[in-house]
């Protein structure tokens, strides 16, 4: 009987640990949507002087629906930046990304690049090479440089 009791204690301990490590998927989704909003706010702030001059038009009213395991379907927005006859789109891909806490793709006429959010809620440009990834901080300077490079 003692062996059965110790086995039951073992199973109860495993159940307790599972409960402790449960992920709050709703919170993860809310944090992700807030991170997207913060990124868009930052980009719009960086580009505001050019928008005020009529050199850029920014739209963030295009709703897209994403689906992710454990989270389900949810709506977010795409950010479109128009300049000249071209545009760049920031398109959220999801928060359940390996090695990241979220990904937004920056799509332009001459290519695209990933923006990945790390556990400290910092955004990085990430470029995939054959066997490795190169990353650097998303800053006002690096964002504008990437706009020029991809357009």
């Amino acid at each position: 009987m003692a062996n059965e009791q110790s086995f039951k204690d073992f199973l109860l301990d495993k159940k307790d640990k599972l409960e402790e490590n449960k992920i709050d998927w709703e919170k993860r989704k809310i944090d992700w949507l807030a991170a997207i909003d913060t990124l868009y706010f930052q980009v719009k702030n960086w580009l505001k002087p050019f928008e005020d001059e009529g050199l850029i038009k920014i739209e963030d009213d295009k709703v897209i629906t994403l689906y992710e395991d454990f989270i389900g379907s949810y709506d977010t927005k795409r950010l479109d930046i128009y300049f000249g006859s071209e545009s760049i789109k920031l398109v959220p891909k999801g928060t359940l990304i390996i090695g990241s806490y979220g990904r937004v793709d920056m799509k332009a006429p001459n290519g695209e690049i990933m923006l990945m959010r790390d556990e400290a809620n910092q955004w990085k440009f990430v470029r995939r090479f054959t066997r490795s990834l190169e990353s650097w901080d998303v800053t006002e300077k690096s964002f504008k440089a990437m706009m020029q490079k991809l357009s």
Side-chain angles (χ1 to χ4, degrees):
M1 188 71 168
N3 284 342
E4 283 184 33
Q5 186 59 42
S6 63
F7 184 68
K8 183 177 180 181
D9 290 340
F10 164 78
L11 293 175
L12 287 170
D13 184 52
K14 293 296 182 186
K15 182 179 178 189
D16 289 344
K17 284 185 180 168
L18 176 66
E19 292 297 317
E20 288 172 13
N21 294 326
K22 266 193 177 172
I23 296 172
D24 184 342
W25 295 111
E26 184 64 20
K27 181 180 181 324
R28 177 82 181 248
K29 178 180 81 172
I30 290 167
D31 290 348
W32 166 233
L33 293 172
I36 294 168
D37 288 343
T38 300
L39 174 66
Y40 290 176
F41 177 81
Q42 206 169 29
V43 168
K44 289 189 282 188
N45 191 46
W46 293 335
L47 300 177
K48 185 171 181 7
F50 306 99
E51 187 175 35
D52 290 346
E53 289 184 45
L55 298 172
I56 287 178
K57 180 181 175 191
I58 300 172
E59 295 179 355
D60 66 354
D61 58 353
K62 305 239 178 2
V63 175
I64 61 171
T65 302
L66 299 177
Y67 175 84
E68 297 189 73
D69 291 340
F70 308 108
I71 293 176
S73 291
Y74 60 94
D75 291 338
T76 186
K77 293 180 183 174
R78 185 180 83 203
L79 182 85
D80 296 342
I81 305 165
Y82 299 95
F83 49 100
S85 63
E86 297 178 2
S87 68
I88 288 179
K89 298 176 183 345
L90 297 181
V91 184
K93 293 309 218 180
T95 185
L96 303 180
I97 306 294
I98 295 173
S100 168
Y101 285 79
R103 178 177 136 199
V104 172
D105 287 351
M106 183 175 184
K107 299 181 176 199
N110 292 323
E112 63 182 71
I113 193 161
M114 297 179 287
L115 286 79
M116 304 278 249
R117 184 171 70 107
D118 65 20
E119 64 183 315
N121 203 23
Q122 300 299 310
W123 289 95
K124 307 254 185 219
F125 282 113
V126 177
R127 184 176 13 226
R128 193 176 321 204
F129 288 104
T130 310
R131 294 189 177 141
S132 64
L133 297 175
E134 176 188 24
S135 69
W136 62 98
D137 292 340
V138 174
T139 64
E140 180 175 0
K141 184 177 179 180
S142 68
F143 189 86
K144 289 175 181 175
M146 192 54 62
M147 281 183 66
Q148 288 178 292
K149 183 175 183 167
L150 295 177
S151 297

